Amino acid sequence: MSRPTALALPAFLLLGVLATGCSDKEEPGSELSPRVLYGFDGCDDLLDYTKGQAKGLIDQYGNLYGYDYSQGWFGEDAAGGDGLSGSGGSTGGVDDGGDGEPAPGDGNGGDDGGKDYSGTNVQEAGVDEPDVVKTDGERILAFARGQLHFVDVSGASPTLRGSLNLGADLYEAQIFMHEDRALLLVRTWPYYYDYEGAPQPEGLDLQQYFGPDYWAGITRLIEVDISNPEAMKIVSNLHITGELVSARMVDGVARVVVRSAPTGIHLKEPYEFFDYQAFEQGGGSEGLYEHMWQIALAQSKVFNKSAIDASTIENWLPRYVREDLSQGQGEITSGVLLACDDVMHTGVYSGLSTLGVLTVDLNSHLAPTGGVGVFSEGETVYASKENLYVATTPWNPADWNPEAAPEDQGRTTYVHKFDIKDRTRANYVASGEVRGWLLSQWAMSEFGGDLRVASTDSLGWDQTTSESFVSVLRQDGDELQQIGQVGGLGKTEQIQGVRFIGDKGYVVTFRQTDPLYTVDVSDPTKPVVAGELKIPGFSAYLHPVGEDLILGVGRDGTEDGQILGMQLSLFDVSDDAAPKQLHKVAIGEDWGWSEALFDHKAFLWWGKTQLAMIPLEWGSYDENDNYLWEQGALGFRVDKEEGIVQIGEIQHPDPVVEDCWDEYYGCGWSPMLRRSIVIGEQVFTLSDVGIKASALADLSDAHWVEFPQN
């Protein structure tokens, strides 16, 4: 029988922890609270829950994905997603806010006599977020094309000191750096280790541990000793069945969020039982098809429920393989990541994937010594220095049921709060709920002990009923009580950008024009929409660039809602009731694009010189009408009076490709610039090819460091 979990959670925590309840064990037949996490009385109880939920889906749909097979193979997607998790998953086999924040990116080092430098553009000061590049003002760690590169920037010119091949065909990795250790977070797949020509981790065959039929995602954590940059080495690896969602680090303690789907349960589709020969011999009529399909559907249900009955804990919980290389020769251990009594489920069905957050201590070489999980999705993670919040939006059948009552057709997001001041564990504190769903981590912000949440809701998929809200939640015992809310923002529209700064909120919605709303939350019990500005286009990312000034990164548009190219907009929000757009500048051509539109870490603001930089890709035509595709990083000086003025552009040299096989088109490619960081009087830009140092004053070239090819 399910039981509410205790408050204290182990150090190797899994994000499902998010909504742990703390009341006494519920009586049989009692109604479960959707905001509470309930534990299990051992593995048998856990299997009863997972098997019961899974067989219920098989009975209702014939599969675990919510597809309605009752009318045939091409049935409707009843769930609008995955019945396992509500939005993704398979049985076949990265968020922000501010507590009166200083403008992030103005520099977080150098006051002790070293060079001043910018760090990762994070939401909360002191809460680090993983990225493809990290620096402490003396060292730059950068990931590019499967290698970790160490660039020494302590001298007059940057020097590549070493590069470490990570041992697999990896295309993306995110880095935390703490003292002489780096923690790399990698999304990978087991076939990378078998791919012909790919680097092979010595002595490791993941499919030996996860099964030959496991082809789903793997999260790989890599601990690297960077104390000797010429000989960086991997100290430990931890491979987990599941997808990396997000991560945060506070004072050297990392919380890593992983979502793991059930694996290894071999289910069959109705078509595998359909007797096509008998169908053709019977004349192939529509009526015969419907009759025979129902027979095949019934047979598949019997088979699949039998397969579910035969499943074990290994099928439902994430598994791991750990390599401890700290003593030289690797020591490999493997198993199930979580103990059954450390796993929970929500009071309302939220999927059969296990969501987890690992508390990672680099001193233990990634040892999986314990953990807590929950059967739930979990889309949005936000952390202040003291608390971690996780937002989940459960699977809601009313979304695809047009006959559902209006009051049942909206969405509800549950928010769970954890105290993370203890470096060894996270303690569940309270849970609450808000109407609608959240755009991103920026939709949450802690201020004065309260949590502000921006959300959008609609009746089912009817966008004409859409509107947005700003709600304030305050802890009262083990509940996050809603103490204030204002709605009516952007009716028929959805939130495209949001930022909380001090006791103000700024919300951008969009459908045809871009309403920028200013929300006064100085009285958290009575938040009010103080002002509104309607302009074409929209801002996807908002960044404070001075007192009462906000810079928006987004897209230009026409009055009728047509989206044009990239633009920067400078807003004056000194008067809450009348926000103004002071300046805007188009960037690139109509088809320009920037990673900063969806990843704030690609944006740089250096307040000391009023410099804003974004990476950009854009198309254009030369004087001979030849189409050109260009990539670079553009720098702008932002001033309230003078406007937004481009001061320079940085581009990296095209890589030299040996043994080019295509003489007509060539084999070169233009490197995409990913990040910009400031160290001293230089701007360093990163691409897969290398790192360029440019003068901070005008972005003129200074030094080029080329990365070695694999």
Side-chain angles (χ1 to χ4, degrees), residues 9-24:
L9 301 178
F12 191 78
L13 115 105
L14 258 137
L15 192 71
V17 162
L18 317 180
T20 311
C22 59
S23 57
D24 294 333

Side-chain angles (χ1 to χ4, degrees), residues 604-641:
L604 167 69
W605 172 250
W606 188 245
K608 291 177 174 59
T609 61
Q610 300 298 102
L611 173 68
M613 290 196 67
I614 65 169
L616 188 71
E617 301 177 69
W618 70 96
S620 61
Y621 290 90
D622 63 15
E623 62 276 8
N624 297 318
D625 207 30
N626 295 315
Y627 180 75
L628 303 175
W629 184 254
E630 300 181 73
Q631 302 187 76
L634 275 61
F636 300 86
R637 196 80 66 210
V638 180
D639 183 82
K640 182 176 182 181
E641 303 301 331

Side-chain angles (χ1 to χ4, degrees), residues 148-207:
L148 179 66
H149 305 282
F150 187 116
V151 178
D152 187 339
V153 291
S154 61
S157 60
T159 304
L160 179 67
R161 296 280 300 279
S163 299
L164 175 65
N165 191 318
L166 295 178
D169 186 13
L170 304 180
Y171 294 101
E172 182 74 359
Q174 301 179 64
I175 308 167
F176 282 124
M177 181 169 67
H178 181 66
E179 297 177 346
D180 286 333
R181 285 289 191 269
L183 175 65
L184 276 68
L185 315 172
V186 178
R187 295 180 176 93
T188 187
W189 300 80
Y191 66 76
Y192 283 171
Y193 300 104
D194 292 330
Y195 183 73
E196 183 177 356
Q200 300 291 318
E202 184 176 351
L204 178 67
D205 178 4
L206 286 182
Q207 291 188 334

Side-chain angles (χ1 to χ4, degrees), residues 272-328:
E272 298 179 74
F273 295 90
F274 193 91
D275 191 338
Y276 291 95
Q277 183 176 4
F279 173 65
E280 292 176 358
Q281 292 175 349
S285 67
E286 182 178 347
L288 179 60
Y289 171 82
E290 293 176 355
H291 173 71
M292 295 185 64
W293 178 262
Q294 293 303 320
I295 294 175
L297 178 60
Q299 291 174 330
S300 71
K301 288 182 177 181
V302 171
F303 179 91
N304 290 338
K305 288 195 288 187
S306 176
I308 290 169
D309 278 332
S311 64
T312 66
I313 291 299
E314 287 78 7
N315 298 122
W316 298 105
L317 297 183
R319 289 169 286 161
Y320 74 91
V321 175
R322 173 181 176 247
E323 300 172 277
D324 184 355
L325 306 171
S326 60
Q327 302 303 315

Side-chain angles (χ1 to χ4, degrees), residues 392-413:
T392 67
T393 303
W395 189 29
N396 181 7
D399 284 345
W400 64 86
N401 180 6
E403 298 181 358
E407 61 270 18
D408 295 330
Q409 291 185 6
R411 304 295 292 270
T412 298
T413 293

